Amino acid sequence: MPSGTRIVERFEQRVGLRSHRGPAVARHEMAFFLRRIALLVGSVALLVLGGAIALSAFEDVSYWRGVTWALDTVATIGSIPDTQTVGGDATKVVLTIFGVGTMFFVLVTLTELFVAGDLSGLLDERRMQRKISQLKDHYLICGFGRVGRQVAQDLRLAGMPFVVVDDNPDVREHAEEMEVLIVEGRGSDDEVMLEAGIDRARAVLACVDSDAENIFVTLTAREMRPDIPIVARAAVESSERKLIRAGANEVVSPYKASGRTMASLALIDRADGADYRPARDSGAATSRTSAGAG
């Protein structure tokens, strides 16, 4: 991707015109910038050292004098007098052209680093990691879909600390809205789970939309912490047995749970002679009123 396009995209992210990329991308971009800066600094060093050899040979001066002369030329300071030979003049022209171009590219790279926001993204990640490292007896929510978000809301209402683990960059907006601690990655990755503090966690909740991924999350968590309680989500009945064999202590099927709840409410209301009426509160699922209450 061209550098200009890269700058424009990250500027749009900075001002909110494009969705923010997470810390994992910030780490990748930081590594890319560091490699590019190292390459450019190395190029400038080679240019100065090579120019010093040429200037010391053409102008009959010491090598150190050639280094300072080449550096003065590359930096466009102009404090050293002009060369006296054709070879020295040609060397200064080459140093000026390539040196100024390389130095300008270094400045553009540094400007892109600070303006585009990758540095701030990396700093935000480190601040989040410091907060996570201070947690103890917290819950790990692997998967931040609809089920994971509901689990997070319930844990927050209960006043319990938790960390979200999810590799989907789209869920980061929901995490930022809820102001939760999030580690980008898969719950089946050992390094990601260590980063989320599984060694200090109280329990793991595997809430990924994929049953297969929940099995891998359960296997990973059980291998890393044989004593930790694991509650896993299963969409199909056949996955429940596999999750138990993988090490889950409890397996919950959202569809079974909601179906049983609806059936229980219907049976209770029918036995009590209750009547359903539309709920006025948007947060309420049902509203039951006695038939004799009018």
Side-chain angles (χ1 to χ4, degrees):
M1 179 182 296
S3 179
T5 305
R6 192 186 294 267
I7 294 176
V8 171
E9 285 188 355
R10 281 199 289 272
F11 179 77
E12 290 178 349
Q13 295 168 4
R14 187 73 168 180
V15 300
L17 298 178
R18 190 184 294 264
S19 60
H20 176 68
R21 292 179 294 180
V25 178
R27 285 199 302 267
H28 174 74
E29 294 293 342
M30 178 63 71
F32 169 77
F33 280 123
L34 291 177
R35 287 195 301 268
R36 193 164 72 178
I37 290 175
L39 178 62
L40 293 173
V41 171
S43 301
V44 172
L46 289 176
L47 192 64
V48 170
L49 295 178
I53 295 175
L55 288 172
S56 61
F58 289 128
E59 299 298 321
D60 194 19
V61 295
S62 65
Y63 182 72
W64 179 247
R65 177 66 174 176
V67 170
T68 57
W69 206 338
L71 187 59
D72 178 85
T73 304
V74 170
T76 65
I77 297 176
S79 60
I80 300 178
D82 294 334
T83 54
Q84 303 298 320
T85 63
V86 176
D89 291 340
T91 302
K92 287 193 66 175
V93 170
V94 173
L95 289 175
T96 301
I97 294 175
F98 288 97
V100 171
T102 305
M103 293 294 291
F104 179 75
F105 199 35
V106 170
L107 292 176
V108 169
T109 301
L110 292 175
T111 303
E112 181 182 355
L113 173 63
F114 287 99
V115 174
D118 290 315
L119 182 60
S120 63
L122 189 62
L123 295 177
D124 290 341
E125 180 196 12
R126 291 188 176 180
R127 283 193 292 268
M128 185 175 296
Q129 282 303 314
R130 282 198 298 269
K131 294 179 180 178
I132 294 175
S133 64
Q134 297 172 358
L135 292 179
K136 187 178 180 181
D137 291 335
H138 58 286
Y139 293 85
L140 297 186
I141 304 176
C142 299
F144 204 54
R146 289 174 294 179
V147 176
R149 288 196 290 271
Q150 184 60 51
V151 171
Q153 291 175 3
D154 293 342
L155 289 177
R156 170 165 289 178
L157 290 175
M160 305 304 297
F162 60 90
V163 176
V164 172
V165 177
D166 200 301
D167 64 340
N168 186 358
D170 295 334
V171 306
R172 187 168 184 83
E173 295 182 3
H174 298 288
E176 290 177 350
E177 290 176 0
M178 296 180 61
E179 298 181 352
V180 303
L181 299 176
I182 182 170
V183 176
E184 290 193 1
R186 303 169 78 88
S188 55
D189 190 334
D190 292 0
E191 293 183 0
V192 173
M193 296 295 277
L194 286 174
E195 190 176 349
I198 189 175
D199 53 330
R200 306 180 308 278
R202 175 179 293 185
V204 174
L205 298 98
C207 309
V208 187
D209 293 337
S210 168
D211 286 357
E213 184 63 22
N214 283 329
I215 293 174
F216 284 116
V217 170
T218 302
L219 287 170
T220 302
R222 182 58 65 207
E223 180 181 7
M224 299 180 72
R225 281 282 306 275
D227 60 326
I228 194 170
I230 301 175
V231 181
R233 170 191 185 273
V236 296
E237 186 174 358
S238 61
S239 299
E240 298 180 16
R241 296 188 297 272
K242 295 177 182 177
L243 284 165
I244 293 295
R245 289 198 297 267
N249 300 95
E250 300 288 344
V251 178
V252 178
S253 173
Y255 305 110
K256 280 187 177 181
S258 59
R260 287 169 182 165
T261 301
M262 295 175 67
S264 298
L265 290 173
L267 291 173
I268 291 173
D269 286 325
R270 183 170 181 176
D272 295 343
D275 182 25
Y276 274 113
R277 293 184 180 178
R280 295 183 180 179
D281 186 358
S282 59
T286 60
S287 176
R288 294 186 295 167
T289 306
S290 175

